Amino acid sequence: MAEQYLMAIDAGTGSVRAVLFSLDGAQVGCVQREWEHREDPRYPGSMDFDWTHNWALACECVRGVFEKTGIDPASVAAVSTTCMREGIVLYDHEGNEIWACANVDARSDDEVGRLIRMYPGLEKEIYLKSGQTYALGALPRLLWVKDKMPEVYEKTAAVGMFNDWLIRKLTGVEAVEPSNGSTTGIFDLQSRTWDSSIAEKCGLRGDIFPPVAECGTVLASVSEKGAKDTGLLAGTPVVVGGGDCQLGTIGVGATLPGQAAVFGGSFWQYEFNTDSGATDPGCRVRVNCHAVPGVWQYEALAFKPGLVMRWFRDGFCQAEKEQAAKEGTDPYDVMNREAEKIPAGSYGMVCAFSDIMNFIGWKHAAPTFTNFELDPEKFNRYTFYRAILENTALLVKGHMELVKEATGNMPSEIIFAGGASKSPLWSQILADVLGMPVRVPEVKEATALGAAILAGYGVGLYKSIEEGAARTVKWDRVFTPNPEHRQVYDQLYATWRKVYAAQLQLVNDGVTKPMWVAPGL
């Protein structure tokens, strides 16, 4: 029998890609195309999604991966899709796209403010049922369409997400799945399906919600048109995928309740699996459906750690960039080498960037470095750099404690993935701060691998999602905590919490500007 492959199509924030995997999880081909979400000049903060151009790019990726690998499309056992969360597509009664925005769209500040003023207490009521607040969900965006583009709103027959948009283009069949659908704020977490009464309470129609299909089920097969567009074989099974973070969690092997993962990139996510969709009474942390049926996830988001690193590198480390170019290495490797020489705790220096998540009142302090001395031997740029690494690890500790308060549970180890996990220094600091093993997987395309695992599970190549992950996820190394460093970081964490509270008060008093603030606050 000819070798079989699994395909993932991944619609990310900045690019789309098609990735082919073997059944053992080896990545055999990937073609990627960058895309842009253009701002409508009439609406500051808007990020429109160009579905015509972007579907053409997706098709280029699928065709390109067949050309690049020479693999016969008939060898693809199944296809699944994943995408950035929160982006939405609106369709008319003929199934044509009529409006779409990317997840980074920020045009609905006015609508959030109006919801908060008109319906005090509604946001908490919605959160307790859906796990979402207005900060990231679809409700304010749909209200914006109703207010600013009433002709589009009147024509709207269905709302969907980008992973099911890809499936619709491939098959002609539309269904939203729970992992991404739950991020709209219009889902009932317990039943894992739409709750139209949430939309109606916000003044929206309740008749625009398509069927729901659970992650890992075969929804349809590639249509003749889908085959013509992409080069896939007509009749190839298409399996329901999920949101990028949930599939990334599957792609690093965290499929069971009690397991947890940290994804470190431009933003950092702490994902904790639970067998209950119960929400946090304080409305502080996000709760989503996992892409594993019967499992949910507490999600704590940290804003901009990767962007802070990039700012520091580009603003202060020109010499390291030049040295790395000579060595043929990454500037971060040079910076890490020097930062390793700085003792744990950075001589007591603390910085403040992203705060511990407070989903219903999300605001960050102004970027801050404090508690350093005018001693260039101790407090040089590598000390400041190490403090940034430590700050992010302290933030993860805060998120773990936050989720423990909400659930009563704490993992026994952490899986660490994403670009930040390439840094052995950052991985070790994370283990030292958390006081638990940090396991780093080999795979760098965890989200796409998660989609491939669901594809294989959907067509019976894996008996369960857990078995698919066990067969495909490989491990790079495990970092164990240094007890001496743990003591230093426990003291530093207590200091950091007090410093951050004081810095946030300065923002609330109007003295400094927040690094980021949620819409409507």
Side-chain angles (χ1 to χ4, degrees):
M1 184 177 171
E3 187 168 0
Q4 292 182 294
Y5 300 92
L6 300 166
M7 177 175 281
I9 307 176
D10 180 0
T13 301
S15 65
V16 61
R17 55 194 163 180
V19 191
L20 274 172
F21 291 93
S22 73
L23 300 190
D24 289 325
Q27 183 180 309
V28 295
C30 175
V31 171
Q32 181 168 316
R33 295 285 183 270
E34 290 188 357
W35 55 20
E36 293 181 358
H37 314 301
R38 300 188 186 282
E39 183 176 69
D40 185 325
R42 297 172 295 171
Y43 307 115
S46 61
M47 285 290 164
D48 289 337
F49 184 81
D50 183 345
W51 55 81
T52 303
H53 178 62
N54 291 345
W55 174 241
L57 291 178
C59 294
E60 277 184 33
C61 293
V62 178
R63 289 185 175 279
V65 82
F66 288 132
E67 291 167 12
K68 184 177 178 181
T69 61
I71 286 170
D72 185 345
S75 301
V76 175
V79 180
S80 190
T81 64
T82 183
C83 70
M84 62 176 121
R85 299 172 304 170
E86 295 100 33
I88 57 173
V89 187
L90 303 184
Y91 303 93
D92 64 16
H93 287 279
E94 282 73 52
N96 300 310
E97 305 96 327
I98 54 174
W99 188 85
C101 73
N103 60 344
V104 286
D105 186 276
R107 73 182 87 195
S108 54
D109 263 18
D110 292 347
E111 284 69 29
V112 172
R114 193 169 84 235
L115 280 170
I116 292 170
R117 288 191 306 273
M118 288 178 62
Y119 308 106
L122 180 60
E123 186 174 21
K124 181 173 183 178
E125 181 186 329
I126 290 171
Y127 168 84
L128 292 174
K129 179 164 264 197
S130 71
Q132 311 294 316
T133 67
Y134 300 145
L136 301 172
L139 289 166
R141 291 168 179 171
L142 291 171
L143 273 176
W144 184 93
V145 175
K146 180 183 177 184
D147 291 347
K148 306 294 194 302
M149 293 185 169
E151 70 288 353
V152 171
Y153 184 76
E154 287 304 315
K155 291 178 185 172
T156 298
V159 58
M161 318 300 282
F162 290 125
N163 54 327
D164 46 79
W165 168 74
L166 288 167
I167 289 180
R168 183 192 273 255
K169 301 299 280 186
L170 287 170
T171 69
V173 178
E174 169 73 10
V176 172
E177 48 72 35
S179 75
N180 211 353
S182 64
T183 69
T184 63
I186 318 174
F187 256 57
D188 179 327
L189 278 174
Q190 297 301 323
S191 62
R192 297 172 71 97
T193 192
W194 298 107
D195 183 343
S196 58
S197 71
I198 293 174
E200 289 162 356
K201 285 175 184 174
C202 296
L204 292 164
R205 286 163 47 201
D207 62 349
I208 59 171
F209 304 113
V212 173
E214 190 59 80
C215 308
T217 58
V218 177
L219 184 68
S221 57
V222 175
S223 66
E224 293 292 342
K225 184 177 188 314
K228 184 179 177 185
D229 286 350
T230 62
L232 283 160
L233 200 65
T236 302
V238 179
V239 176
V240 177
D244 55 5
C245 212
Q246 290 96 322
L247 291 199
T249 311
I250 292 173
V252 297
T255 60
L256 298 173
Q259 290 184 301
V262 170
F263 295 95
S266 297
F267 294 72
W268 278 44
Q269 292 118 342
Y270 170 60
E271 304 287 346
F272 179 74
N273 292 348
T274 172
D275 57 6
S276 163
T279 47
D280 169 35
C283 310
R284 297 165 298 173
V285 62
R286 194 182 201 190
V287 188
N288 304 316
C289 296
H290 197 355
V292 180
V295 181
W296 289 261
Q297 284 187 326
Y298 276 75
E299 177 176 278
L301 294 163
F303 273 57
K304 304 186 179 181
L307 300 177
V308 173
M309 292 277 282
R310 192 184 308 165
W311 159 75
F312 191 83
R313 179 197 66 191
D314 295 346
F316 302 98
C317 299
Q318 297 308 313
E320 288 72 20
K321 284 176 145 184
E322 291 170 11
Q323 187 175 341
K326 289 177 187 172
E327 294 178 2
T329 59
D330 190 295
Y332 289 125
D333 293 336
V334 179
M335 294 155 68
N336 286 337
R337 210 159 57 215
E338 296 300 322
E340 281 180 23
K341 301 172 186 176
I342 307 297
S346 300
Y347 300 107
M349 186 168 73
V350 176
C351 60
F353 291 97
S354 184
D355 195 9
I356 293 168
M357 187 175 183
N358 182 13
F359 204 13
I360 205 159
W362 218 353
K363 188 185 292 183
H364 295 315
T368 307
F369 287 93
T370 191
N371 209 37
F372 56 91
E373 300 167 21
L374 305 182
D375 177 349
E377 291 299 316
K378 286 185 175 179
F379 295 95
N380 52 48
R381 64 181 176 274
Y382 302 119
T383 319
F384 280 72
Y385 173 70
R386 184 177 181 114
I388 294 171
L389 302 179
E390 292 176 337
N391 172 251
T392 309
L394 294 172
L395 181 60
V396 173
K397 179 180 172 73
H399 280 156
M400 289 181 70
E401 290 188 350
L402 173 65
V403 171
K404 186 181 180 183
E405 285 177 30
T407 66
N409 294 307
M410 180 85 82
S412 58
E413 67 173 19
I414 280 288
I415 298 167
F416 186 32
S421 70
K422 296 175 186 174
S423 164
L425 175 59
W426 218 345
S427 301
Q428 186 61 55
I429 289 171
L430 189 61
D432 293 346
V433 168
L434 299 180
M436 63 178 62
V438 168
R439 186 181 291 270
V440 177
E442 282 183 6
V443 69
K444 304 308 175 197
E445 299 284 357
T447 298
L449 179 58
I453 290 167
L454 280 185
Y457 164 68
V459 295
L461 293 172
Y462 309 128
K463 286 182 287 188
S464 65
I465 297 172
E466 180 189 1
E467 192 232 343
R471 182 167 165 187
T472 57
V473 177
K474 310 293 191 298
W475 299 102
D476 184 9
R477 58 187 292 193
V478 178
F479 294 83
T480 56
N482 179 319
E484 291 178 12
H485 293 177
R486 171 79 189 280
Q487 290 181 337
V488 172
Y489 287 131
D490 281 349
Q491 293 176 350
L492 191 67
Y493 177 71
T495 302
W496 174 72
R497 291 297 300 262
K498 291 175 183 175
V499 167
Y500 205 101
Q503 292 296 331
L504 193 58
Q505 189 58 50
L506 289 175
V507 166
N508 290 333
D509 292 343
V511 177
T512 54
K513 293 189 299 183
M515 186 182 77
W516 182 83
V517 62
L521 291 184

